[in-house]
Amino acid sequence: MKRIGILTTFLLCSLRGLCCTTCDARVQEKIYDSTFLPNLVTMLSAFIVLALVVAGLAVLSTRRHTSFLAANPGGQYLNPVPLTTASTVLGIGIGGFIDGIFLHQILQWHEMLSNRMPPTTLVLKSVNMFWDGIFHAFTLIVVIIGIVLLWKLLHRRDIDRSGRLLVSGLILGWGLFNIIEGVIDHHLLKLHNVREITPNVDLWNYGFLGLSVGMVVVGYFMIHRTPDPVPDSTL
């Protein structure tokens, strides 16, 4: 995910002639100033952390399933990990799109750099729009990865295809995205707040995290419900 994101972004945006061709000089200078690479790395950091978290969860879930099989040698159980992992990745990407489409574009509560660079002029609005686009490009890559992971499961007969796992993975991924992106972008790096124009930005930021923690808890307990054994003929 990291390599794909870096290659895609640099191919599309490192050459100034390929991006913002209709922008005036002030917008181009503001985008491609000394903060361009730091902003790019900063935006990518949340997705790198998310990739590491998903990989870690997949390893832990595989160990848990292996231990469960060892403790229940008399039954046959389908593996829930592949579908859970794929749906979690897809949930991360969909969660990113929901954030960008509703909070950035429709409601316009914030933009990608709206705390550091309030979009109070046309130039600053355009710069924020550019970085919103880069954010959406990364979320698109995540969604494509999630679709590929799901496609690779089509012909496997040893996995649990439960709709519960699909839905719970989507919820878990969405919650994980909100938490990690929120902690990094809202609290640590202070790129933007959930809602910029409000008397209490912290209330919105922490409320957003609280809701997201609830989503992760719901997704986790839905995933880790004790599975039922299945007949040998289904394997």
Side-chain angles (χ1 to χ4, degrees), residues 37 69 73-74 89 112 117 125 137 143 156 164 190 224 229:
L37 284 179
L69 293 179
V89 172
M112 205 61 222
M117 194 181 298
K125 185 77 172 179
V143 167
R156 290 187 57 175
R164 170 181 58 84
K190 299 186 182 301
H224 290 284

Side-chain angles (χ1 to χ4, degrees), residues 118-167:
T120 54
T121 67
L122 180 60
V123 170
L124 297 180
K125 185 77 172 179
S126 297
V127 174
N128 271 283
M129 185 184 299
F130 172 84
W131 287 111
D132 282 352
I134 298 298
F135 168 76
H136 279 123
F138 286 143
T139 59
L140 176 61
I141 291 170
V142 176
V143 167
I144 292 172
I145 293 173
I147 292 172
V148 170
L149 290 175
L150 284 175
W151 175 78
K152 292 177 68 174
L153 305 181
L154 286 176
H155 302 294
R156 290 187 57 175
R157 302 183 60 188
D158 62 328
I159 64 171
D160 190 341
R161 300 174 183 271
S162 167
R164 170 181 58 84
L165 290 179
L166 176 63
V167 172

